[in-house]
Amino acid sequence: MKLAGLAMAAPAAAAQILEQAAAEAMEFTQQAEATSLGSGTLDHLDLAVTEFNRAYSLKPPKAVFDAMMDYRRKVNRLLKAKHTHSQERELLAFAGWLSELLAWLAHDLGDARTGLAFATDAFVHGQQAGHGQLCAWAMDAAASINLYEQRPAKARNAALKGLSEAPAGHPLTVRLHAQAARASAADGDAEGFTTAFHAAQEAHRLLPPRSPRRFGMDVMPLADYALTSYPATSFIWLGQAEKARHHAEHALATYEAAPEASRSPSREAIARIDLAIAHAQLGDPSDAVVLGHRALDSARVVDSVRNRARDLTSFLTRRYPRQSAVEGLREHLAALDTAARPALPAAPSGA
């Protein structure tokens, strides 16, 4: 009707209509650009998430969790404020990245429920931001948490869900295939493990020469670690001790050879525990106990390390009940368990 009115109007009236339309167009543009975000807010968030990624493996998880939770709440408030559509996508992605790291930290602190809640939050925010890679990282966290909670079917489903979102040719695809393999092993499915692990190896073979980075950090080592440490654990679960020993030694050598900035004390500790269990299965409890103590002396003994150490001490107690050294390892672990409680504050609703 307005178009018809413009066609029938006198030249002077038509000019007035067009002038008013130009003013409205300017208002539309101003509304599209209206934002309450400061000019450096997104840059600040990018820097903060980068620093949190670097701090994850180096600092005590409780301290990092508290600081990161504060930033996650800030991003939540920014999402409720006035911002542009492009700013909203960036804020959604930052919210997701923070929640992905919070999922890992909650897992490290022994709270699987909180960890899975943040993994789900990261996935949903990744979807809203149109960020498939973020969704895949979130499901990588969910797969690990479910494995440690002895829910291999859920772990495998999370890995497959992540693979459906992961970019082709990204090292994360290697890790997710390896997660699916580890979940099959935990379920006693040797054939499923072999199929998924071969898929991980093939994905690794097809990776491009140049590795992508995640907040300034090379992600290729995470794929390499998955091809060494995950099969070590898997072969232990499948009762193939010699293969477990071989992969655990390779994993430990890989971790120890990594640059200092990329070292992960907790992953090294788990590799030592896998090697210890393999030695115990092969009839060498003395080396197993020594490796267990070295793992528990790590600079970062998180819940996953203590969880695997409980597997080691339980096996040693059953297989070698008269070994006094085993009791010393049990006491070492018990002291660390006591020191770790309570670990995680309750997250407020709506976070």
Side-chain angles (χ1 to χ4, degrees), residues 279-280 283-292 316 320 323 325:
H279 275 284
D284 187 358
S286 298
D287 279 355
V289 169
V290 170
L291 285 162
L316 286 169
Y320 309 100
Q323 289 276 344

PDB file of all heavy atoms in Angstrom, residues 279-280 283-292 316 320 323 325:
ATOM      1  N   HIS A 279      52.828 -53.736  34.356  1.00  0.00           N
ATOM      2  CA  HIS A 279      53.872 -54.478  35.067  1.00  0.00           C
ATOM      3  C   HIS A 279      53.248 -55.441  36.083  1.00  0.00           C
ATOM      4  O   HIS A 279      53.711 -56.593  36.230  1.00  0.00           O
ATOM      5  CB  HIS A 279      54.820 -53.514  35.783  1.00  0.00           C
ATOM      6  CG  HIS A 279      55.928 -53.000  34.917  1.00  0.00           C
ATOM      7  ND1 HIS A 279      57.029 -53.750  34.589  1.00  0.00           N
ATOM      8  CD2 HIS A 279      56.091 -51.808  34.289  1.00  0.00           C
ATOM      9  CE1 HIS A 279      57.831 -53.043  33.813  1.00  0.00           C
ATOM     10  NE2 HIS A 279      57.290 -51.863  33.609  1.00  0.00           N
ATOM     11  N   ALA A 280      52.235 -54.974  36.788  1.00  0.00           N
ATOM     12  CA  ALA A 280      51.570 -55.835  37.777  1.00  0.00           C
ATOM     13  C   ALA A 280      50.920 -57.027  37.092  1.00  0.00           C
ATOM     14  O   ALA A 280      50.993 -58.169  37.592  1.00  0.00           O
ATOM     15  CB  ALA A 280      50.539 -55.035  38.558  1.00  0.00           C
ATOM     16  N   GLY A 283      53.381 -59.702  36.261  1.00  0.00           N
ATOM     17  CA  GLY A 283      54.038 -60.383  37.368  1.00  0.00           C
ATOM     18  C   GLY A 283      55.166 -59.627  38.028  1.00  0.00           C
ATOM     19  O   GLY A 283      56.026 -60.230  38.678  1.00  0.00           O
ATOM     20  N   ASP A 284      55.173 -58.297  37.908  1.00  0.00           N
ATOM     21  CA  ASP A 284      56.254 -57.496  38.493  1.00  0.00           C
ATOM     22  C   ASP A 284      55.657 -56.432  39.425  1.00  0.00           C
ATOM     23  O   ASP A 284      55.575 -55.259  39.065  1.00  0.00           O
ATOM     24  CB  ASP A 284      57.061 -56.836  37.370  1.00  0.00           C
ATOM     25  CG  ASP A 284      58.299 -56.122  37.891  1.00  0.00           C
ATOM     26  OD1 ASP A 284      58.509 -56.107  39.120  1.00  0.00           O
ATOM     27  OD2 ASP A 284      59.045 -55.562  37.075  1.00  0.00           O
ATOM     28  N   PRO A 285      55.248 -56.823  40.640  1.00  0.00           N
ATOM     29  CA  PRO A 285      54.612 -55.863  41.542  1.00  0.00           C
ATOM     30  C   PRO A 285      55.565 -54.791  42.066  1.00  0.00           C
ATOM     31  O   PRO A 285      55.137 -53.669  42.360  1.00  0.00           O
ATOM     32  CB  PRO A 285      54.089 -56.742  42.678  1.00  0.00           C
ATOM     33  CG  PRO A 285      54.966 -57.942  42.660  1.00  0.00           C
ATOM     34  CD  PRO A 285      55.303 -58.174  41.217  1.00  0.00           C
ATOM     35  N   SER A 286      56.845 -55.093  42.188  1.00  0.00           N
ATOM     36  CA  SER A 286      57.796 -54.119  42.734  1.00  0.00           C
ATOM     37  C   SER A 286      57.891 -52.880  41.840  1.00  0.00           C
ATOM     38  O   SER A 286      57.793 -51.734  42.319  1.00  0.00           O
ATOM     39  CB  SER A 286      59.172 -54.759  42.903  1.00  0.00           C
ATOM     40  OG  SER A 286      59.114 -55.830  43.815  1.00  0.00           O
ATOM     41  N   ASP A 287      58.088 -53.093  40.536  1.00  0.00           N
ATOM     42  CA  ASP A 287      58.141 -51.954  39.605  1.00  0.00           C
ATOM     43  C   ASP A 287      56.801 -51.227  39.571  1.00  0.00           C
ATOM     44  O   ASP A 287      56.751 -50.007  39.422  1.00  0.00           O
ATOM     45  CB  ASP A 287      58.523 -52.426  38.207  1.00  0.00           C
ATOM     46  CG  ASP A 287      60.024 -52.631  38.051  1.00  0.00           C
ATOM     47  OD1 ASP A 287      60.761 -52.306  39.001  1.00  0.00           O
ATOM     48  OD2 ASP A 287      60.452 -53.108  36.986  1.00  0.00           O
ATOM     49  N   ALA A 288      55.725 -51.981  39.708  1.00  0.00           N
ATOM     50  CA  ALA A 288      54.392 -51.367  39.692  1.00  0.00           C
ATOM     51  C   ALA A 288      54.233 -50.393  40.857  1.00  0.00           C
ATOM     52  O   ALA A 288      53.708 -49.288  40.690  1.00  0.00           O
ATOM     53  CB  ALA A 288      53.319 -52.449  39.751  1.00  0.00           C
ATOM     54  N   VAL A 289      54.690 -50.790  42.036  1.00  0.00           N
ATOM     55  CA  VAL A 289      54.580 -49.929  43.213  1.00  0.00           C
ATOM     56  C   VAL A 289      55.448 -48.683  43.047  1.00  0.00           C
ATOM     57  O   VAL A 289      55.018 -47.557  43.360  1.00  0.00           O
ATOM     58  CB  VAL A 289      54.977 -50.701  44.488  1.00  0.00           C
ATOM     59  CG1 VAL A 289      55.121 -49.749  45.675  1.00  0.00           C
ATOM     60  CG2 VAL A 289      53.931 -51.771  44.798  1.00  0.00           C
ATOM     61  N   VAL A 290      56.660 -48.851  42.534  1.00  0.00           N
ATOM     62  CA  VAL A 290      57.553 -47.702  42.318  1.00  0.00           C
ATOM     63  C   VAL A 290      56.915 -46.714  41.345  1.00  0.00           C
ATOM     64  O   VAL A 290      56.901 -45.490  41.584  1.00  0.00           O
ATOM     65  CB  VAL A 290      58.920 -48.176  41.798  1.00  0.00           C
ATOM     66  CG1 VAL A 290      59.771 -46.983  41.342  1.00  0.00           C
ATOM     67  CG2 VAL A 290      59.665 -48.958  42.877  1.00  0.00           C
ATOM     68  N   LEU A 291      56.396 -47.220  40.243  1.00  0.00           N
ATOM     69  CA  LEU A 291      55.744 -46.346  39.250  1.00  0.00           C
ATOM     70  C   LEU A 291      54.506 -45.667  39.844  1.00  0.00           C
ATOM     71  O   LEU A 291      54.220 -44.515  39.544  1.00  0.00           O
ATOM     72  CB  LEU A 291      55.363 -47.161  38.021  1.00  0.00           C
ATOM     73  CG  LEU A 291      56.519 -47.554  37.092  1.00  0.00           C
ATOM     74  CD1 LEU A 291      56.111 -48.697  36.165  1.00  0.00           C
ATOM     75  CD2 LEU A 291      56.963 -46.342  36.274  1.00  0.00           C
ATOM     76  N   GLY A 292      53.785 -46.406  40.696  1.00  0.00           N
ATOM     77  CA  GLY A 292      52.604 -45.816  41.329  1.00  0.00           C
ATOM     78  C   GLY A 292      52.971 -44.652  42.223  1.00  0.00           C
ATOM     79  O   GLY A 292      52.314 -43.600  42.201  1.00  0.00           O
ATOM     80  N   LEU A 316      46.652 -54.640  42.652  1.00  0.00           N
ATOM     81  CA  LEU A 316      47.797 -55.132  43.421  1.00  0.00           C
ATOM     82  C   LEU A 316      47.350 -55.860  44.694  1.00  0.00           C
ATOM     83  O   LEU A 316      47.911 -56.895  45.073  1.00  0.00           O
ATOM     84  CB  LEU A 316      48.727 -53.971  43.785  1.00  0.00           C
ATOM     85  CG  LEU A 316      49.588 -53.401  42.653  1.00  0.00           C
ATOM     86  CD1 LEU A 316      50.245 -52.091  43.073  1.00  0.00           C
ATOM     87  CD2 LEU A 316      50.653 -54.419  42.219  1.00  0.00           C
ATOM     88  N   TYR A 320      48.465 -59.530  44.740  1.00  0.00           N
ATOM     89  CA  TYR A 320      49.628 -59.696  45.620  1.00  0.00           C
ATOM     90  C   TYR A 320      49.264 -59.275  47.049  1.00  0.00           C
ATOM     91  O   TYR A 320      49.772 -58.290  47.579  1.00  0.00           O
ATOM     92  CB  TYR A 320      50.810 -58.868  45.111  1.00  0.00           C
ATOM     93  CG  TYR A 320      51.122 -59.104  43.650  1.00  0.00           C
ATOM     94  CD1 TYR A 320      50.690 -58.209  42.679  1.00  0.00           C
ATOM     95  CD2 TYR A 320      51.834 -60.232  43.255  1.00  0.00           C
ATOM     96  CE1 TYR A 320      50.965 -58.432  41.338  1.00  0.00           C
ATOM     97  CE2 TYR A 320      52.119 -60.463  41.912  1.00  0.00           C
ATOM     98  CZ  TYR A 320      51.679 -59.565  40.953  1.00  0.00           C
ATOM     99  OH  TYR A 320      51.954 -59.789  39.631  1.00  0.00           O
ATOM    100  N   GLN A 323      52.143 -58.466  49.783  1.00  0.00           N
ATOM    101  CA  GLN A 323      53.194 -57.490  49.504  1.00  0.00           C
ATOM    102  C   GLN A 323      53.003 -56.266  50.406  1.00  0.00           C
ATOM    103  O   GLN A 323      52.047 -55.514  50.258  1.00  0.00           O
ATOM    104  CB  GLN A 323      53.153 -57.071  48.035  1.00  0.00           C
ATOM    105  CG  GLN A 323      53.609 -58.145  47.071  1.00  0.00           C
ATOM    106  CD  GLN A 323      55.119 -58.149  46.921  1.00  0.00           C
ATOM    107  OE1 GLN A 323      55.811 -57.201  47.289  1.00  0.00           O
ATOM    108  NE2 GLN A 323      55.651 -59.248  46.405  1.00  0.00           N
ATOM    109  N   ALA A 325      54.665 -53.560  50.464  1.00  0.00           N
ATOM    110  CA  ALA A 325      54.849 -52.308  49.729  1.00  0.00           C
ATOM    111  C   ALA A 325      53.533 -51.796  49.146  1.00  0.00           C
ATOM    112  O   ALA A 325      53.347 -50.584  48.977  1.00  0.00           O
ATOM    113  CB  ALA A 325      55.867 -52.505  48.604  1.00  0.00           C
TER     114      ALA A 325
END
